[in-house]
Amino acid sequence: MKILVTGGAGYIGAHMAKWLARAGHEVVIFDNLSTGFRFLARYGTLFEGDLNRPETIERCLEGQAFDAVIHFAARSLVGESVQNPLLYYQNNVSGTVNLLAAMDRAGVRRLIFSSTAATYGNPQSVPIPETAPTRPINPYGRSKRMMEQVIEDAVAAYSFDAVSLRYFNAAGADPEGELGECHDPETHLIPLVLQAALGKRPAVTIYGEDYPTPDGTCVRDYIHVWDLVAAHDAALSALMEDRVKGYDVFNLGIGHGYSVKEVIEVCQRVVAQSGCRIPVQVGPRRPGDPAELVADSRKAQRVLQWRAHHSDLETIVRHAWAWTRRYLG
Ligand SMILES: NC(=O)c1ccc[n+]([C@@H]2O[C@H](COP(=O)([O-])OP(=O)(O)OC[C@H]3O[C@@H](n4cnc5c(N)ncnc54)[C@H](O)[C@@H]3O)[C@@H](O)[C@H]2O)c1
Ligand SMILES: O=c1ccn([C@@H]2O[C@H](COP(=O)(O)OP(=O)(O)O[C@H]3O[C@H](CO)[C@@H](O)[C@H](O)[C@H]3O)[C@@H](O)[C@H]2O)c(=O)[nH]1
């Protein structure tokens, strides 16, 4: 197959490109390198373009006969989205409108979209099924929910088939150590903890220990990036074989949450084997963090026939540690 990966120079998109290239597919990466890196775009042909310059995505799709688009390109920092919401609505929502219009013009009819647990906001209960109300609590989550709605409307009007995958916390790195997480600034828990272990930061700060959770710290559902891209592959097969038609939504997580303290404990164990330790301090809550997010992913297991194989927390941390030492060590 021939697949376009938007945002393929970013963390998750680069792993997706590797998975697809390894499976023998032709991969084109469309990226403006705003938060991505050229060196991560090694498993595909990089087309430098910006979804907010519609002529660039039109040129990329023109006459290429792509079988599907996997759409990762977006800005995704909650804090930044609160400071600069219009950037998020423009880059993420308008960018997606431009992508869909270009796909329609080029006759590309299948889309897999990177959505997020942030579309649920503060859930009433966990684990969260796809049927839970979507009440995002920040502009990032709202931009993703709007993108889902834009896609659903486009499916109805222009006969696309599309799947939204709502990821919980993507973590870990390529099991072969070639690719991993690079964000600048880095805001995600596991890379920050491992950077502290390497002495690249003085300490990691726990954002609040007064949440209504067993140890007072936030609980999240961490899914290995390789399991995440495997789920996209399963969704792609379901679209190609017409097992999923129209528009559908799937949660991707492992159905089990870990607290911030539990994550740090596992990291301490893994880095201790390399003679490192992690300085930890406790700070105030980070605005906008729900206490607990855990996925009910049984629909993805049932319909997409997908299972997570690498997502025990120790494996996630071991792979992230190998990458961090290579990349920053
Ligand atoms: N990392 C997570 O835990 C997580 C969780 C849920 C959802 N997501 C979603 O997954 C996707 C990928 O996340 P990531 O962590 O790999 O992010 P990332 O920032 O590493 O990658 C995003 C990529 O998109 C590119 N991009 C952004 N805007 C663009 C535009 N207008 N035109 C072309 N390229 C553009 C960036 O340069 C970057 O390479 C995002 O849509 C994010 O919202 C991530
Ligand atoms: O230095 C830090 C960084 C994070 N945390 C906590 O660690 C948890 C995880 O935080 P982080 O790694 O930043 O991920 P989330 O804020 O949960 O967001 C991720 O997961 C969401 C879905 O669950 C996606 O929507 C987002 O795009 C993705 O960044 C949260 O409770 C944070 O409060 C800390 O205590 N200290």
Side-chain angles (χ1 to χ4, degrees):
M1 284 187 281
K2 185 164 179 175
I3 311 292
L4 182 72
V5 179
T6 76
Y11 166 46
I12 306 171
H15 287 80
M16 185 80 246
K18 177 170 179 175
W19 176 290
L20 293 168
R22 278 287 168 84
H25 303 304
E26 186 179 346
V27 180
V28 176
I29 290 170
F30 181 89
D31 203 298
N32 65 1
L33 302 177
S34 54
T35 60
F37 298 87
R38 198 179 292 280
F39 78 91
L40 286 181
R42 53 193 284 185
Y43 283 98
T45 307
L46 175 63
F47 186 108
E48 279 187 65
D50 189 324
L51 291 176
N52 278 292
R53 286 172 44 225
E55 70 284 3
T56 62
I57 184 63
E58 278 164 22
R59 216 172 341 109
C60 178
L61 288 172
E62 220 166 61
Q64 293 290 328
F66 284 103
D67 293 285
V69 174
I70 309 185
H71 179 29
F72 295 96
R75 298 194 77 102
S76 57
L77 299 179
V78 169
E80 184 184 58
S81 79
V82 175
Q83 301 294 317
N84 195 353
L86 297 185
L87 173 67
Y88 276 66
Y89 296 122
Q90 181 154 53
N91 191 68
N92 295 357
V93 183
S94 302
T96 299
V97 172
N98 292 336
L99 172 65
L100 288 162
M103 285 174 61
D104 186 41
R105 211 162 297 135
V108 185
R109 301 264 152 233
R110 298 180 196 93
L111 178 73
I112 298 176
F113 170 59
S114 290
S115 189
T116 166
T119 54
Y120 294 114
N122 281 309
Q124 286 162 337
S125 59
V126 293
I128 308 169
E130 291 83 355
T131 49
T134 45
R135 299 196 195 102
I137 55 170
N138 51 59
Y140 164 61
R142 276 192 282 277
S143 79
K144 285 280 169 171
R145 181 66 191 121
M146 286 178 196
M147 291 151 89
E148 288 187 345
Q149 289 165 326
V150 166
I151 292 167
E152 190 169 2
D153 287 345
V155 162
Y158 310 115
S159 64
F160 289 116
D161 292 312
V163 166
S164 279
L165 300 177
R166 291 182 181 155
Y167 321 153
F168 284 60
N169 288 56
D174 171 18
E176 293 176 351
E178 285 180 337
L179 305 169
E181 190 162 5
C182 314
H183 290 122
D184 186 16
E186 188 52 78
T187 61
H188 293 118
L189 178 64
I190 293 174
L192 288 175
V193 172
L194 299 180
Q195 289 174 18
L198 273 184
K200 304 287 174 190
R201 295 174 184 270
V204 64
T205 304
I206 297 175
Y207 294 149
E209 55 177 0
D210 58 349
Y211 283 95
T213 58
D215 67 14
T217 66
C218 287
V219 170
R220 294 288 182 275
D221 184 334
Y222 294 89
I223 174 168
H224 196 297
V225 65
W226 204 243
D227 284 333
L228 205 55
V229 300
H232 290 66
D233 185 47
L236 186 59
S237 300
L239 286 173
M240 295 303 296
E241 293 160 15
D242 286 343
R243 283 184 283 117
V244 169
K245 286 205 71 65
Y247 176 76
D248 214 341
V249 182
F250 299 92
N251 284 340
L252 296 178
I254 63 160
H256 178 82
Y258 291 93
S259 73
V260 173
K261 283 186 178 165
E262 286 172 328
V263 170
I264 294 173
E265 267 166 37
V266 172
C267 292
Q268 290 277 21
R269 243 192 351 257
V270 169
V271 307
Q273 291 157 17
S274 320
C276 296
R277 55 172 290 281
I278 302 157
V280 181
Q281 61 191 27
V282 178
R285 290 184 178 195
R286 184 172 66 177
D289 275 341
E292 195 170 355
L293 291 174
V294 177
D296 177 342
S297 293
R298 284 175 301 177
K299 183 178 170 193
Q301 293 171 14
R302 193 179 67 249
V303 178
L304 303 179
Q305 291 153 27
W306 164 82
R307 294 281 179 286
H309 294 292
H310 303 276
S311 290
D312 67 277
L313 191 53
E314 185 144 344
T315 305
I316 287 177
V317 171
R318 270 196 296 103
H319 290 165
W321 179 231
W323 162 255
T324 306
R325 284 207 296 170
R326 208 171 141 225
Y327 176 60
L328 291 179

